[in-house]
Amino acid sequence: HSPDLSFSNENSVRRKAQARMFSHAILARYWEAGYKADDLLQIWRALPPNLKHVLWTGMDAMSYLMDLATGQLPPAVDTSMNQTPPLSCTMLPDESDNQMPMGTFIMGWDPVLGVRTYCSANRWLVRRAGVHVEEFLARVARCDIPLIETELEHLCSVVDDLIGGRQQVKIRYMRVTTNIANPEQCDEGTIISIIRRTNVVKRDETGMRILSTTVLSELVSEEEYDQALQVNPQQCRPFMAATGDVRCAAELKRAYQSDKQKEKISNMVKTTEGLARLNSLCKTFERVFSPIIQKARAAGWSKLC
């Protein structure tokens, strides 16, 4: 039997106070997706000033363009009682588990309020997470999922998501730890995996606001990752090549435990090597956000950068 669970999204005043912990509304979406707030906040708070400036300017420009395109849309849910809609969490039916092992995670969003409305997962994904079905759904509901990448990899993934524009389908190869029950246990070959992640995004009629996101995760061989790295480095752990990291899959799996500490932003800003990698990333982010900033300025955005 697949559980159908409904979780209160709590009083909206409380949730808005939690969301204000993030310096930008766009960042709060990743917390809404189920990640632990503390894990996310320690990334953004530790960023060096130059990198933080580039990211915040780019996100401000994106928000301006989004507001311009969507106008004053009415909320899709009734918030008159100061409540956000309950979060419906369900397991996908067994027949959704393909013969080829694949994790499926779907999250629906209110396009105006930016709050989640439902989430669904299949059993393959939950088994890889190493917890019971009910615990998995409850942890998503209360935003208690730990990061499954290093902090640097997560930062790069966020920017890769942001600059995707209206792209509906995006394929990326990632190094992840999928055991959310014991994320610090990183035995090679059992928890650390190379996956091909396919993101499918459905948007509203404006093409700007997200209605739902479907994430498909497939385990792939080290050979497939290494071949993809040769053909298109940006498809493999986005932007990591800009930091000088083009390691093969076998090296990545072996190094995850040490990388978890080396690629913690608060540790990187304390070393010459770490700062050099972040500065290189900053220059790359400047280039990718530049067209967005120019478009926003042409449309009337006047923030000084």
Side-chain angles (χ1 to χ4, degrees):
H1 174 68
S2 297
D4 252 354
L5 304 176
S6 181
F7 299 90
S8 167
N9 258 339
E10 303 176 305
N11 183 283
S12 62
V13 172
R14 180 180 174 187
R15 287 192 67 76
K16 286 176 183 175
Q18 290 174 313
R20 279 197 295 270
M21 293 187 299
F22 296 89
S23 302
H24 205 287
I26 290 177
L27 302 181
R29 176 178 288 273
Y30 290 87
W31 163 66
E32 282 274 1
Y35 286 116
K36 290 183 176 181
D38 288 346
D39 286 358
L40 301 178
L41 289 168
Q42 67 184 7
I43 296 176
W44 307 109
R45 289 170 175 167
L47 291 173
N50 61 333
L51 183 51
K52 186 178 292 187
H53 174 75
V54 167
L55 290 172
W56 263 240
T57 302
M59 287 187 290
D60 283 346
M62 292 184 70
S63 294
Y64 178 83
L65 291 172
M66 183 182 295
D67 291 342
L68 206 62
T70 56
Q72 297 298 317
L73 295 178
V77 296
D78 180 16
T79 58
S80 59
M81 299 302 292
N82 209 26
Q83 297 288 325
T84 52
L87 175 67
S88 171
C89 293
T90 62
M91 285 298 296
L92 294 169
D94 290 339
E95 55 265 27
S96 68
D97 290 338
N98 299 330
Q99 292 185 356
M100 289 294 290
M102 178 186 294
T104 304
F105 184 74
I106 305 172
M107 182 155 283
W109 301 90
D110 178 275
V112 178
L113 299 178
V115 298
R116 54 204 181 151
T117 56
Y118 68 87
C119 70
S120 301
N122 71 345
R123 291 188 181 279
W124 187 91
L125 182 70
V126 174
R127 284 195 297 269
R128 292 286 300 171
V131 295
H132 293 295
V133 170
E134 291 82 359
E135 181 182 348
F136 179 84
L137 296 178
R139 291 182 73 161
V140 171
R142 66 175 184 260
C143 298
D144 192 34
I145 301 293
L147 290 180
I148 60 173
E149 314 162 276
T150 69
E151 287 190 4
L152 184 63
E153 287 170 331
H154 181 77
L155 171 65
C156 290
S157 292
V158 169
V159 175
D160 184 53
D161 284 345
L162 293 178
I163 64 167
R166 302 186 185 188
Q167 187 175 353
Q168 290 185 318
V169 179
K170 182 182 289 187
I171 298 174
R172 293 290 183 259
Y173 289 86
M174 315 295 294
R175 170 183 65 172
V176 299
T177 174
T178 49
N179 190 327
I180 67 170
N182 298 291
E184 299 307 318
Q185 294 180 8
C186 300
D187 301 325
E188 182 184 356
T190 56
I191 296 177
I192 305 307
S193 305
I194 303 296
I195 64 168
R196 180 172 60 243
R197 187 186 71 189
T198 304
N199 280 14
V200 183
V201 179
K202 182 180 179 183
R203 300 176 185 272
D204 68 4
E205 66 278 3
T206 70
M208 297 293 287
R209 297 194 185 275
I210 297 174
L211 298 175
S212 69
T213 306
T214 300
V215 182
L216 307 174
S217 303
E218 300 173 79
L219 296 175
V220 297
S221 66
E222 294 176 0
E223 291 74 19
E224 180 174 340
Y225 177 89
D226 295 343
Q227 184 176 5
L229 185 64
Q230 293 297 318
V231 174
N232 185 2
Q234 177 59 15
Q235 197 176 39
C236 300
R237 302 166 65 233
F239 295 114
M240 292 299 287
T243 73
D245 187 351
V246 289
R247 288 174 290 174
C248 68
E251 291 177 296
L252 290 172
K253 290 168 73 174
R254 285 194 299 268
Y256 183 82
Q257 190 74 289
S258 59
D259 285 351
K260 189 91 171 165
Q261 295 303 315
K262 275 181 63 176
E263 295 180 359
K264 189 181 288 286
I265 305 300
S266 59
N267 291 337
M268 295 184 73
V269 297
K270 297 174 184 175
T271 68
T272 302
E273 178 190 354
L275 273 176
R277 294 181 72 189
L278 291 175
N279 285 334
S280 176
L281 199 58
C282 183
K283 293 175 182 176
T284 300
F285 288 168
E286 277 185 311
R287 288 196 297 272
V288 299
F289 276 120
S290 179
I292 298 170
I293 293 171
Q294 290 177 13
K295 185 177 180 181
R297 285 176 173 165
W301 185 58
S302 59
K303 179 174 178 178
L304 295 176
C305 302

